[in-house]
Amino acid sequence: MVIDSLEHDSTLSKYERRVVRQYVRWTRMIPSQSIIQNAGNMGALSLGIGWDYGKREQWETHLLIGYIPKHDTDKTRLTMTLKETYKPWELNVCKDLYANPLTCGIYLNTVFGSDFWGRQPSRYPKNYYNFLSTKVRINVFLGQQIAWNIPYTKRRTRRSVCLFYEVSTCDLYLRAFLMEKNVRLKNIVGLSLGAKMKFL
C-alpha cells in the first residue's frame, strides 16, 4: 500500500513518519471482509465483519451476530461470536482460484438472554453443575475453503469471494464425549457452511 511505503520515506521528517505510523495503525481497525455463516453452534444464520492479517493474510478474526429461531423455546434469541481462523497454506488451483486445504481455529460464543448464566446461580446447591458457565461456549473447528480473486479490471466493491465449510464442536460436547461411554464422535460434531467477501 502507498501508506505503508510512506512509513519508510526518507524525505519525510521524523514527525511526519510518526504521523504516518499512527495513521497506519488506525487503518488496521477497518474491517476488510464480511461473512455469512449458518450453524456451527452460533445460530441458524450469522452475519459479521472480519479482519485478515499476517504476511500471507493467513490469520482472520471475525465478529458475528447470529439468530436462533423458535424451536423448543417460546422466543427467538440472538448470539454473538468472536472467531479466530488460521490458514496454514494456500494452493493456486488455476489462474484466479485459490484453495486452503486446511483451516482451523477457535471461537467464543454467547447467547443473549437471562436463561444463561456466567456463574452458577445461588438457587442451585454448591457445585451442582461441574462446568463453569452456560453463558459462554468455547468451540474448535477444522475446515476448508476456496476463494476466487476477482481480476483487478473487474473489481467494483469486492476483492474476492470465498466459500467454506467447517466441522466444529464445543467444550460441553467434548466433555460429554470423554466422560460418557454412549456418546459417539458423530454426536458431538456439526457441519457449518458459509461465504466471505473481501473488500479491502
Side-chain angles (χ1 to χ4, degrees), residues 154-185:
K154 296 181 180 179
R155 290 180 188 176
R156 297 295 179 267
T157 58
R158 293 173 183 84
R159 193 182 95 187
S160 68
V161 178
C162 170
L163 300 176
F164 67 90
Y165 79 88
E166 295 169 354
V167 177
S168 64
T169 190
C170 74
D171 52 349
L172 284 184
Y173 294 166
L174 281 172
R175 176 183 171 275
F177 178 70
L178 295 172
M179 297 183 69
E180 299 176 26
K181 292 181 180 178
N182 61 333
V183 177
R184 299 288 178 259
L185 190 61

Side-chain angles (χ1 to χ4, degrees), residues 39-143:
N41 294 325
M42 61 177 74
L45 187 69
S46 299
L47 301 171
I49 54 174
W51 299 261
D52 48 16
Y53 44 93
K55 289 181 179 179
R56 298 175 288 106
E57 296 183 351
Q58 72 271 31
W59 293 97
E60 293 179 340
T61 300
H62 294 112
L63 181 63
L64 302 105
I65 298 294
Y67 166 77
I68 303 174
K70 292 181 184 179
H71 185 57
D72 293 331
T73 60
D74 58 345
K75 57 184 176 181
T76 60
R77 299 189 184 279
L78 291 177
T79 70
M80 184 170 67
T81 304
L82 181 63
K83 179 181 177 186
E84 187 68 20
T85 303
Y86 176 60
K87 304 173 291 183
W89 67 89
E90 184 176 76
L91 301 175
N92 185 204
V93 179
C94 61
K95 187 179 178 183
D96 295 311
L97 199 64
Y98 293 84
N100 294 105
L102 173 67
T103 62
C104 56
I106 187 169
Y107 55 93
L108 302 176
N109 173 263
T110 187
V111 180
F112 295 108
S114 56
D115 297 336
F116 302 90
W117 38 264
R119 185 177 296 175
Q120 181 178 295
S122 58
R123 65 178 179 267
Y124 298 111
K126 189 176 181 181
N127 297 325
Y128 183 78
Y129 288 107
N130 55 2
F131 50 85
L132 296 176
S133 166
T134 64
K135 190 76 174 170
V136 178
R137 293 277 57 82
I138 303 170
N139 298 263
V140 293
F141 68 89
L142 294 172

